[in-house]
Amino acid sequence: MVSICHDANSRNNMGDCRQVYERGLKAIPFSVDLWIHYLNYCKTTFADDEEMLRSTFEKALETCGLEFRSDRLWDAYLKWETDNKNLQNITKIYDRVLATATQGFQTHFDGFCAHINNNPPSKVLTVDEFLTLRQEVLQQLRQSDSALGEAVTAPGDDTEAPPGEEPAEEAVIAVASPEETAKLKEKIVSIRWKTHITTKEAVQARQTFEEGIKRPYFHVKPLERCQLKNWKDYLEFEIAQGDAKRISVLFERCLIACALYEDFWLRYLRYLEEKVTDNTEIIRDVYERACTIHHKKKPNLHLHWAVYEEMQGNYEKAGEILTALEKVVPNLIQVIYRRINLARRSGDVATAADLYEHYIDKAKNRVIANNMTIKYARFCWKILNDIDRAVSILKKALEKDKENPRLYLQLIDMALQRTPVDESEVIGVIDIYLARENAELEQRVMFAQRKIEFLEDFGSNVKSVQKATDEFQKLLKQLQEKKKKSDDNKKQEEPNLKKTKSDQKDSSGPSYNASQMSQPPASTGQYSAPNYNQSGGYSQPPAQGGYNQGYNQQPPYNQQYNQQYNQSDPNYNNYQNWGYSQTGYGNYNQGWGGYNYY
């Protein structure tokens, strides 16, 4: 950066040189070295513009004056004011730096003492401060000299002036004696001494953390764990102190060294969002830097950013963020549902419906497509209040996946919501699935059980109940025979497996686990077997669950959620267990955690 500026400067292109510096300072505002180079350039180029140079120094201190290693920047400002012999400005700068916890706090205090000792008090202080301190010093001198009978003249009392006129300012602030001057200087230093002690304690409290920072600059090489822990502990300490300016400066310093760790970005954003003051522009700037520079492919930060913009009512910007993220990280389930639900929450239901149809057609995974199809059907049913459209969507999906029980369950649920309940519609859906010979036998038994329950509660003909019971018993008998056959095969295989295992101990061939080989083949279907009991309830256990007058209820996947519908109709209570596991989601919970692709 500096070499580019020097190149532009060597070609006498002052405008380009200044623009390069300003762009660099915007990108890395906490670089003390870059600020010093820029200030040297300004002092050379704008030597006669004192106000412009002073405002530039002030801007530099405002930006990174609280940086623990910013002493050289303070020293440069003091030297420039010293060269211009602005003694009062030097005192003001010292007052600020003496209250700032920096690495060279002791050097600054020594410099302040030298500044006071080498210059008259009337020159280094403002008139008001000087007169106040001189009054206090003279009061002390009066008390010490009163015993000797000496008189001490108050400021301005010994100055003659024409009647009706005030003495000149130079005469008022003139010091009468060397003793008074020494007392004044001692008073000035003693006042700052209290500030110096407070600053010293602040530096000592931070010294351990600062010494633990071995790499304050950016690098693609990962930081050591002790470095990351040191930054975390330092941030916790500074937040506990409650100085908002110092906290922001430390976060910005941290994000230089830890730019590739999204946890620190999220921590800073969480701190800013929890503050009562309006930090909208600052928060957006942090999101912009995090998502467009350092973490272009980290969905977590982008999803947070989209949520923040939506909370601000900026739906258009939130949509742009999600669209851009989808281009960088395609086929991410969280992004897909966020886009759809963002459109829905913004009131653009037509766009939400179009997105559902787009992603369903685009889906390469059948399970994901079915999941989105069910969500789309519910959207049409509950949001658009168009149950017929929802039914047609599910039937269209069944043309591609005819043995999927979840689609049939959703159709049954929608039919049960109609008033009055259409018996033929519900039974028709159940019979279609029962006629699927390729469907899993466990699922067919479950649907047969449901058919009995429905006809018991809503059927108009007892013969249909008896027919459904006979059909259920037939399927249940087939399932028992299948299970018994599987158990017999297992018992027959056990002796052979033990013998095989014994023989393999003496052979050089690969070793096999008998318990694995004796296990019956896993079901090839996607859905688990039901659990039956006398009350007519059921659940969906794994396909390999043992049959012992019912199936053990075990969730088939680590991450799933059962969709249950509690209806106001008391007759519907027997169907509240008609839930089904939503497979194919893995760790997806529409939160900030793991990401699922398809």
Side-chain angles (χ1 to χ4, degrees), residues 338-389:
R338 284 292 175 85
R339 287 195 66 191
I340 294 171
N341 291 322
L342 173 64
R344 175 183 58 79
R345 287 191 293 267
S346 65
D348 192 357
V349 293
T351 299
D354 293 340
L355 288 172
Y356 267 121
E357 294 177 358
H358 168 74
Y359 288 119
I360 291 172
D361 294 338
K362 183 182 175 182
K364 299 178 182 179
N365 185 300
R366 189 175 65 180
V367 174
I368 297 296
N370 289 336
N371 288 338
M372 283 193 286
T373 298
I374 291 174
K375 284 182 173 289
Y376 184 29
R378 293 173 185 164
F379 170 81
C380 295
W381 174 20
K382 298 296 185 180
I383 304 300
L384 302 182
N385 198 26
D386 191 346
I387 192 170
D388 293 331
R389 181 179 176 181

Short mmCIF file of all heavy atoms in Angstrom, two decimals, residues 338-389:
data_model
loop_
_atom_site.label_atom_id
_atom_site.label_comp_id
_atom_site.label_asym_id
_atom_site.label_seq_id
_atom_site.Cartn_x
_atom_site.Cartn_y
_atom_site.Cartn_z
N ARG A 338 -35.34 -20.62 3.84
CA ARG A 338 -35.29 -19.21 4.24
C ARG A 338 -35.82 -18.31 3.12
O ARG A 338 -36.53 -17.33 3.38
CB ARG A 338 -33.86 -18.81 4.59
CG ARG A 338 -33.40 -19.33 5.93
CD ARG A 338 -34.17 -18.63 7.06
NE ARG A 338 -33.82 -19.22 8.34
CZ ARG A 338 -32.77 -18.87 9.06
NH1 ARG A 338 -31.95 -17.94 8.61
NH2 ARG A 338 -32.52 -19.45 10.20
N ARG A 339 -35.46 -18.60 1.89
CA ARG A 339 -35.96 -17.80 0.77
C ARG A 339 -37.49 -17.90 0.66
O ARG A 339 -38.18 -16.89 0.47
CB ARG A 339 -35.32 -18.27 -0.53
CG ARG A 339 -33.85 -17.89 -0.71
CD ARG A 339 -33.44 -18.08 -2.15
NE ARG A 339 -34.15 -17.14 -3.03
CZ ARG A 339 -34.15 -17.22 -4.35
NH1 ARG A 339 -33.51 -18.20 -4.97
NH2 ARG A 339 -34.80 -16.33 -5.08
N ILE A 340 -37.96 -19.12 0.79
CA ILE A 340 -39.41 -19.33 0.67
C ILE A 340 -40.15 -18.61 1.80
O ILE A 340 -41.12 -17.88 1.56
CB ILE A 340 -39.74 -20.83 0.67
CG1 ILE A 340 -39.18 -21.50 -0.59
CG2 ILE A 340 -41.24 -21.06 0.78
CD1 ILE A 340 -39.26 -23.01 -0.58
N ASN A 341 -39.70 -18.80 3.02
CA ASN A 341 -40.39 -18.21 4.17
C ASN A 341 -40.21 -16.70 4.23
O ASN A 341 -41.07 -16.00 4.77
CB ASN A 341 -39.90 -18.86 5.45
CG ASN A 341 -40.34 -20.31 5.57
OD1 ASN A 341 -41.46 -20.65 5.19
ND2 ASN A 341 -39.48 -21.17 6.07
N LEU A 342 -39.09 -16.19 3.71
CA LEU A 342 -38.93 -14.74 3.63
C LEU A 342 -40.00 -14.14 2.72
O LEU A 342 -40.62 -13.12 3.06
CB LEU A 342 -37.53 -14.40 3.10
CG LEU A 342 -37.27 -12.93 2.80
CD1 LEU A 342 -37.34 -12.09 4.08
CD2 LEU A 342 -35.92 -12.74 2.11
N ALA A 343 -40.21 -14.78 1.56
CA ALA A 343 -41.26 -14.30 0.66
C ALA A 343 -42.63 -14.38 1.31
O ALA A 343 -43.47 -13.47 1.16
CB ALA A 343 -41.21 -15.10 -0.64
N ARG A 344 -42.87 -15.46 2.04
CA ARG A 344 -44.17 -15.60 2.71
C ARG A 344 -44.38 -14.53 3.77
O ARG A 344 -45.45 -13.91 3.84
CB ARG A 344 -44.26 -17.00 3.33
CG ARG A 344 -45.52 -17.23 4.16
CD ARG A 344 -45.51 -18.60 4.80
NE ARG A 344 -44.36 -18.81 5.66
CZ ARG A 344 -44.27 -18.33 6.89
NH1 ARG A 344 -45.25 -17.60 7.41
NH2 ARG A 344 -43.19 -18.57 7.61
N ARG A 345 -43.34 -14.29 4.60
CA ARG A 345 -43.48 -13.29 5.67
C ARG A 345 -43.60 -11.88 5.11
O ARG A 345 -44.22 -11.02 5.74
CB ARG A 345 -42.28 -13.37 6.61
CG ARG A 345 -42.29 -14.59 7.52
CD ARG A 345 -41.23 -14.49 8.59
NE ARG A 345 -39.89 -14.54 8.04
CZ ARG A 345 -39.17 -15.64 7.90
NH1 ARG A 345 -39.68 -16.82 8.28
NH2 ARG A 345 -37.94 -15.60 7.42
N SER A 346 -43.02 -11.64 3.97
CA SER A 346 -43.13 -10.31 3.37
C SER A 346 -44.48 -10.09 2.68
O SER A 346 -44.76 -9.00 2.21
CB SER A 346 -41.99 -10.09 2.37
OG SER A 346 -42.11 -10.98 1.27
N GLY A 347 -45.31 -11.15 2.62
CA GLY A 347 -46.63 -11.02 2.01
C GLY A 347 -46.67 -11.41 0.55
O GLY A 347 -47.73 -11.38 -0.08
N ASP A 348 -45.54 -11.80 -0.02
CA ASP A 348 -45.48 -12.18 -1.44
C ASP A 348 -45.68 -13.68 -1.56
O ASP A 348 -44.75 -14.44 -1.83
CB ASP A 348 -44.13 -11.74 -2.02
CG ASP A 348 -44.11 -11.83 -3.54
OD1 ASP A 348 -45.12 -12.30 -4.12
OD2 ASP A 348 -43.09 -11.45 -4.14
N VAL A 349 -46.93 -14.13 -1.37
CA VAL A 349 -47.22 -15.56 -1.38
C VAL A 349 -47.06 -16.15 -2.77
O VAL A 349 -46.76 -17.34 -2.92
CB VAL A 349 -48.63 -15.83 -0.83
CG1 VAL A 349 -48.70 -15.50 0.66
CG2 VAL A 349 -49.68 -15.05 -1.60
N ALA A 350 -47.26 -15.34 -3.81
CA ALA A 350 -47.10 -15.86 -5.17
C ALA A 350 -45.64 -16.26 -5.43
O ALA A 350 -45.36 -17.32 -6.01
CB ALA A 350 -47.55 -14.81 -6.18
N THR A 351 -44.71 -15.41 -4.97
CA THR A 351 -43.29 -15.75 -5.12
C THR A 351 -42.94 -16.98 -4.30
O THR A 351 -42.16 -17.84 -4.74
CB THR A 351 -42.42 -14.56 -4.69
OG1 THR A 351 -42.72 -13.44 -5.53
CG2 THR A 351 -40.94 -14.90 -4.78
N ALA A 352 -43.52 -17.10 -3.11
CA ALA A 352 -43.26 -18.26 -2.27
C ALA A 352 -43.72 -19.53 -2.97
O ALA A 352 -43.02 -20.56 -2.97
CB ALA A 352 -43.96 -18.11 -0.92
N ALA A 353 -44.90 -19.49 -3.59
CA ALA A 353 -45.40 -20.66 -4.32
C ALA A 353 -44.50 -20.99 -5.51
O ALA A 353 -44.20 -22.16 -5.78
CB ALA A 353 -46.83 -20.41 -4.78
N ASP A 354 -44.06 -19.95 -6.22
CA ASP A 354 -43.16 -20.19 -7.37
C ASP A 354 -41.84 -20.82 -6.92
O ASP A 354 -41.30 -21.70 -7.60
CB ASP A 354 -42.88 -18.87 -8.09
CG ASP A 354 -44.12 -18.31 -8.77
OD1 ASP A 354 -45.07 -19.10 -9.02
OD2 ASP A 354 -44.15 -17.10 -9.06
N LEU A 355 -41.33 -20.37 -5.78
CA LEU A 355 -40.08 -20.95 -5.27
C LEU A 355 -40.27 -22.40 -4.88
O LEU A 355 -39.40 -23.25 -5.15
CB LEU A 355 -39.59 -20.14 -4.07
CG LEU A 355 -39.02 -18.74 -4.38
CD1 LEU A 355 -38.74 -17.99 -3.09
CD2 LEU A 355 -37.74 -18.87 -5.20
N TYR A 356 -41.40 -22.72 -4.25
CA TYR A 356 -41.67 -24.12 -3.92
C TYR A 356 -41.64 -24.98 -5.18
O TYR A 356 -40.98 -26.03 -5.23
CB TYR A 356 -43.04 -24.25 -3.25
CG TYR A 356 -43.02 -24.19 -1.75
CD1 TYR A 356 -43.74 -23.22 -1.06
CD2 TYR A 356 -42.31 -25.12 -1.00
CE1 TYR A 356 -43.73 -23.17 0.34
CE2 TYR A 356 -42.30 -25.09 0.39
CZ TYR A 356 -43.01 -24.10 1.05
OH TYR A 356 -43.00 -24.07 2.43
N GLU A 357 -42.35 -24.56 -6.21
CA GLU A 357 -42.41 -25.35 -7.44
C GLU A 357 -41.04 -25.45 -8.11
O GLU A 357 -40.68 -26.51 -8.64
CB GLU A 357 -43.42 -24.71 -8.40
CG GLU A 357 -44.86 -24.77 -7.88
CD GLU A 357 -45.84 -24.06 -8.80
OE1 GLU A 357 -45.37 -23.48 -9.81
OE2 GLU A 357 -47.05 -24.07 -8.51
N HIS A 358 -40.27 -24.35 -8.05
CA HIS A 358 -38.94 -24.35 -8.66
C HIS A 358 -38.03 -25.36 -7.97
O HIS A 358 -37.36 -26.17 -8.64
CB HIS A 358 -38.33 -22.95 -8.57
CG HIS A 358 -36.87 -22.90 -8.89
ND1 HIS A 358 -36.39 -23.04 -10.18
CD2 HIS A 358 -35.77 -22.76 -8.08
CE1 HIS A 358 -35.06 -22.97 -10.16
NE2 HIS A 358 -34.67 -22.80 -8.90
N TYR A 359 -38.00 -25.35 -6.66
CA TYR A 359 -37.09 -26.24 -5.94
C TYR A 359 -37.56 -27.68 -5.98
O TYR A 359 -36.73 -28.60 -5.96
CB TYR A 359 -36.94 -25.76 -4.50
CG TYR A 359 -36.13 -24.50 -4.37
CD1 TYR A 359 -36.68 -23.34 -3.84
CD2 TYR A 359 -34.81 -24.45 -4.81
CE1 TYR A 359 -35.95 -22.17 -3.72
CE2 TYR A 359 -34.06 -23.28 -4.70
CZ TYR A 359 -34.63 -22.16 -4.16
OH TYR A 359 -33.90 -21.01 -4.06
N ILE A 360 -38.87 -27.92 -6.03
CA ILE A 360 -39.36 -29.29 -6.15
C ILE A 360 -38.94 -29.88 -7.49
O ILE A 360 -38.49 -31.03 -7.57
CB ILE A 360 -40.89 -29.32 -5.97
CG1 ILE A 360 -41.27 -28.99 -4.52
CG2 ILE A 360 -41.44 -30.69 -6.36
CD1 ILE A 360 -42.75 -28.81 -4.30
N ASP A 361 -39.07 -29.12 -8.56
CA ASP A 361 -38.67 -29.60 -9.88
C ASP A 361 -37.16 -29.78 -9.98
O ASP A 361 -36.67 -30.67 -10.69
CB ASP A 361 -39.15 -28.62 -10.96
CG ASP A 361 -40.67 -28.57 -11.06
OD1 ASP A 361 -41.32 -29.54 -10.63
OD2 ASP A 361 -41.19 -27.55 -11.55
N LYS A 362 -36.42 -28.94 -9.26
CA LYS A 362 -34.96 -28.96 -9.35
C LYS A 362 -34.34 -30.02 -8.45
O LYS A 362 -33.19 -30.43 -8.68
CB LYS A 362 -34.43 -27.57 -8.95
CG LYS A 362 -32.94 -27.40 -9.05
CD LYS A 362 -32.52 -26.01 -8.59
CE LYS A 362 -31.01 -25.87 -8.57
NZ LYS A 362 -30.58 -24.53 -8.08
N ALA A 363 -35.07 -30.48 -7.45
CA ALA A 363 -34.50 -31.40 -6.46
C ALA A 363 -34.03 -32.69 -7.11
O ALA A 363 -34.76 -33.31 -7.90
CB ALA A 363 -35.54 -31.70 -5.38
N LYS A 364 -32.82 -33.10 -6.75
CA LYS A 364 -32.26 -34.33 -7.28
C LYS A 364 -32.48 -35.51 -6.33
O LYS A 364 -32.33 -36.66 -6.73
CB LYS A 364 -30.75 -34.16 -7.51
CG LYS A 364 -30.43 -33.07 -8.52
CD LYS A 364 -28.92 -32.89 -8.68
CE LYS A 364 -28.60 -31.77 -9.65
NZ LYS A 364 -27.13 -31.57 -9.81
N ASN A 365 -32.82 -35.22 -5.12
CA ASN A 365 -33.06 -36.24 -4.10
C ASN A 365 -34.57 -36.40 -3.91
O ASN A 365 -35.28 -35.44 -3.65
CB ASN A 365 -32.40 -35.82 -2.79
CG ASN A 365 -32.50 -36.89 -1.74
OD1 ASN A 365 -33.58 -37.29 -1.34
ND2 ASN A 365 -31.35 -37.35 -1.27
N ARG A 366 -35.05 -37.63 -4.04
CA ARG A 366 -36.50 -37.87 -3.97
C ARG A 366 -37.06 -37.56 -2.59
O ARG A 366 -38.17 -37.05 -2.45
CB ARG A 366 -36.79 -39.31 -4.35
CG ARG A 366 -38.28 -39.61 -4.52
CD ARG A 366 -38.51 -41.01 -5.01
NE ARG A 366 -38.09 -41.99 -4.00
CZ ARG A 366 -38.18 -43.31 -4.17
NH1 ARG A 366 -38.65 -43.79 -5.32
NH2 ARG A 366 -37.79 -44.13 -3.23
N VAL A 367 -36.27 -37.87 -1.55
CA VAL A 367 -36.75 -37.61 -0.19
C VAL A 367 -36.91 -36.11 0.03
O VAL A 367 -37.91 -35.65 0.59
CB VAL A 367 -35.77 -38.21 0.84
CG1 VAL A 367 -36.18 -37.83 2.25
CG2 VAL A 367 -35.73 -39.73 0.68
N ILE A 368 -35.92 -35.33 -0.41
CA ILE A 368 -36.01 -33.87 -0.28
C ILE A 368 -37.19 -33.33 -1.07
O ILE A 368 -37.92 -32.45 -0.61
CB ILE A 368 -34.70 -33.22 -0.74
CG1 ILE A 368 -33.53 -33.67 0.15
CG2 ILE A 368 -34.82 -31.71 -0.72
CD1 ILE A 368 -33.65 -33.21 1.58
N ALA A 369 -37.36 -33.83 -2.26
CA ALA A 369 -38.48 -33.38 -3.09
C ALA A 369 -39.82 -33.66 -2.40
O ALA A 369 -40.73 -32.82 -2.41
CB ALA A 369 -38.43 -34.06 -4.46
N ASN A 370 -39.95 -34.85 -1.80
CA ASN A 370 -41.20 -35.18 -1.10
C ASN A 370 -41.41 -34.30 0.13
O ASN A 370 -42.54 -33.87 0.42
CB ASN A 370 -41.19 -36.65 -0.69
CG ASN A 370 -41.34 -37.57 -1.89
OD1 ASN A 370 -41.88 -37.18 -2.92
ND2 ASN A 370 -40.84 -38.79 -1.77
N ASN A 371 -40.35 -34.03 0.84
CA ASN A 371 -40.46 -33.14 2.00
C ASN A 371 -40.96 -31.75 1.59
O ASN A 371 -41.84 -31.18 2.23
CB ASN A 371 -39.12 -33.02 2.70
CG ASN A 371 -38.73 -34.28 3.45
OD1 ASN A 371 -39.60 -35.08 3.79
ND2 ASN A 371 -37.45 -34.47 3.69
N MET A 372 -40.37 -31.23 0.53
CA MET A 372 -40.79 -29.90 0.06
C MET A 372 -42.21 -29.95 -0.51
O MET A 372 -42.96 -28.98 -0.39
CB MET A 372 -39.80 -29.38 -0.97
CG MET A 372 -38.51 -28.86 -0.36
SD MET A 372 -37.49 -27.92 -1.49
CE MET A 372 -36.85 -29.23 -2.50
N THR A 373 -42.55 -31.07 -1.12
CA THR A 373 -43.91 -31.20 -1.65
C THR A 373 -44.94 -31.13 -0.53
O THR A 373 -45.98 -30.46 -0.65
CB THR A 373 -44.05 -32.53 -2.43
OG1 THR A 373 -43.15 -32.52 -3.52
CG2 THR A 373 -45.48 -32.70 -2.93
N ILE A 374 -44.67 -31.82 0.57
CA ILE A 374 -45.59 -31.79 1.71
C ILE A 374 -45.68 -30.38 2.29
O ILE A 374 -46.75 -29.90 2.63
CB ILE A 374 -45.13 -32.82 2.76
CG1 ILE A 374 -45.34 -34.23 2.22
CG2 ILE A 374 -45.89 -32.63 4.07
CD1 ILE A 374 -44.79 -35.32 3.11
N LYS A 375 -44.53 -29.71 2.40
CA LYS A 375 -44.54 -28.33 2.90
C LYS A 375 -45.34 -27.42 1.94
O LYS A 375 -46.08 -26.55 2.38
CB LYS A 375 -43.11 -27.81 3.06
CG LYS A 375 -42.39 -28.34 4.28
CD LYS A 375 -41.00 -27.74 4.37
CE LYS A 375 -40.33 -28.14 5.67
NZ LYS A 375 -40.92 -27.48 6.85
N TYR A 376 -45.14 -27.65 0.66
CA TYR A 376 -45.87 -26.84 -0.33
C TYR A 376 -47.38 -27.09 -0.22
O TYR A 376 -48.19 -26.15 -0.29
CB TYR A 376 -45.36 -27.19 -1.73
CG TYR A 376 -45.96 -26.37 -2.84
CD1 TYR A 376 -46.42 -25.06 -2.62
CD2 TYR A 376 -46.09 -26.90 -4.13
CE1 TYR A 376 -46.96 -24.31 -3.66
CE2 TYR A 376 -46.63 -26.16 -5.17
CZ TYR A 376 -47.07 -24.87 -4.93
OH TYR A 376 -47.61 -24.12 -5.95
N ALA A 377 -47.75 -28.35 -0.02
CA ALA A 377 -49.18 -28.67 0.13
C ALA A 377 -49.75 -28.00 1.38
O ALA A 377 -50.86 -27.44 1.34
CB ALA A 377 -49.36 -30.18 0.20
N ARG A 378 -49.03 -28.02 2.46
CA ARG A 378 -49.50 -27.35 3.68
C ARG A 378 -49.59 -25.85 3.48
O ARG A 378 -50.48 -25.18 4.01
CB ARG A 378 -48.55 -27.67 4.83
CG ARG A 378 -48.57 -29.11 5.27
CD ARG A 378 -47.49 -29.35 6.30
NE ARG A 378 -47.39 -30.75 6.67
CZ ARG A 378 -46.36 -31.28 7.31
NH1 ARG A 378 -45.34 -30.51 7.63
NH2 ARG A 378 -46.35 -32.54 7.62
N PHE A 379 -48.63 -25.31 2.73
CA PHE A 379 -48.66 -23.88 2.43
C PHE A 379 -49.94 -23.52 1.68
O PHE A 379 -50.63 -22.54 2.02
CB PHE A 379 -47.42 -23.52 1.60
CG PHE A 379 -47.44 -22.14 1.01
CD1 PHE A 379 -47.09 -21.03 1.78
CD2 PHE A 379 -47.81 -21.93 -0.31
CE1 PHE A 379 -47.11 -19.75 1.25
CE2 PHE A 379 -47.82 -20.66 -0.85
CZ PHE A 379 -47.48 -19.57 -0.07
N CYS A 380 -50.26 -24.30 0.67
CA CYS A 380 -51.50 -24.04 -0.09
C CYS A 380 -52.74 -24.24 0.79
O CYS A 380 -53.72 -23.51 0.67
CB CYS A 380 -51.57 -24.96 -1.30
SG CYS A 380 -50.29 -24.66 -2.54
N TRP A 381 -52.66 -25.21 1.68
CA TRP A 381 -53.79 -25.54 2.53
C TRP A 381 -54.00 -24.47 3.61
O TRP A 381 -55.11 -23.93 3.76
CB TRP A 381 -53.53 -26.92 3.14
CG TRP A 381 -54.51 -27.39 4.16
CD1 TRP A 381 -55.78 -26.95 4.36
CD2 TRP A 381 -54.29 -28.43 5.13
NE1 TRP A 381 -56.38 -27.64 5.39
CE2 TRP A 381 -55.48 -28.56 5.89
CE3 TRP A 381 -53.21 -29.26 5.42
CZ2 TRP A 381 -55.60 -29.48 6.91
CZ3 TRP A 381 -53.34 -30.19 6.43
CH2 TRP A 381 -54.52 -30.29 7.18
N LYS A 382 -52.94 -24.13 4.35
CA LYS A 382 -53.08 -23.25 5.50
C LYS A 382 -52.91 -21.76 5.17
O LYS A 382 -53.54 -20.92 5.81
CB LYS A 382 -52.05 -23.64 6.57
CG LYS A 382 -52.23 -25.05 7.12
CD LYS A 382 -53.56 -25.18 7.84
CE LYS A 382 -53.69 -26.57 8.50
NZ LYS A 382 -54.99 -26.71 9.21
N ILE A 383 -52.06 -21.44 4.21
CA ILE A 383 -51.79 -20.03 3.90
C ILE A 383 -52.69 -19.54 2.78
O ILE A 383 -53.33 -18.48 2.89
CB ILE A 383 -50.31 -19.83 3.51
CG1 ILE A 383 -49.39 -20.34 4.63
CG2 ILE A 383 -50.02 -18.36 3.22
CD1 ILE A 383 -49.59 -19.64 5.95
N LEU A 384 -52.76 -20.31 1.69
CA LEU A 384 -53.60 -19.90 0.56
C LEU A 384 -55.05 -20.34 0.73
O LEU A 384 -55.91 -19.93 -0.05
CB LEU A 384 -53.03 -20.48 -0.74
CG LEU A 384 -51.58 -20.09 -1.09
CD1 LEU A 384 -51.18 -20.70 -2.43
CD2 LEU A 384 -51.42 -18.59 -1.10
N ASN A 385 -55.31 -21.21 1.71
CA ASN A 385 -56.67 -21.70 1.98
C ASN A 385 -57.26 -22.37 0.74
O ASN A 385 -58.44 -22.23 0.42
CB ASN A 385 -57.58 -20.54 2.43
CG ASN A 385 -58.84 -21.04 3.11
OD1 ASN A 385 -58.85 -22.15 3.68
ND2 ASN A 385 -59.90 -20.26 3.05
N ASP A 386 -56.41 -23.13 0.05
CA ASP A 386 -56.82 -23.83 -1.17
C ASP A 386 -56.50 -25.30 -1.00
O ASP A 386 -55.47 -25.80 -1.44
CB ASP A 386 -56.08 -23.23 -2.37
CG ASP A 386 -56.64 -23.73 -3.69
OD1 ASP A 386 -57.42 -24.71 -3.68
OD2 ASP A 386 -56.30 -23.14 -4.74
N ILE A 387 -57.41 -26.04 -0.35
CA ILE A 387 -57.14 -27.45 -0.05
C ILE A 387 -57.17 -28.31 -1.30
O ILE A 387 -56.43 -29.30 -1.40
CB ILE A 387 -58.15 -27.96 1.00
CG1 ILE A 387 -57.70 -29.31 1.54
CG2 ILE A 387 -59.55 -28.03 0.42
CD1 ILE A 387 -58.49 -29.79 2.74
N ASP A 388 -57.97 -27.93 -2.27
CA ASP A 388 -58.01 -28.71 -3.51
C ASP A 388 -56.67 -28.65 -4.24
O ASP A 388 -56.20 -29.65 -4.80
CB ASP A 388 -59.13 -28.19 -4.42
CG ASP A 388 -60.51 -28.44 -3.83
OD1 ASP A 388 -60.66 -29.43 -3.07
OD2 ASP A 388 -61.44 -27.66 -4.10
N ARG A 389 -56.06 -27.47 -4.24
CA ARG A 389 -54.73 -27.34 -4.86
C ARG A 389 -53.71 -28.16 -4.10
O ARG A 389 -52.83 -28.79 -4.70
CB ARG A 389 -54.32 -25.86 -4.89
CG ARG A 389 -52.97 -25.59 -5.53
CD ARG A 389 -52.68 -24.10 -5.54
NE ARG A 389 -51.36 -23.81 -6.07
CZ ARG A 389 -50.85 -22.58 -6.17
NH1 ARG A 389 -51.57 -21.53 -5.77
NH2 ARG A 389 -49.63 -22.40 -6.66
#
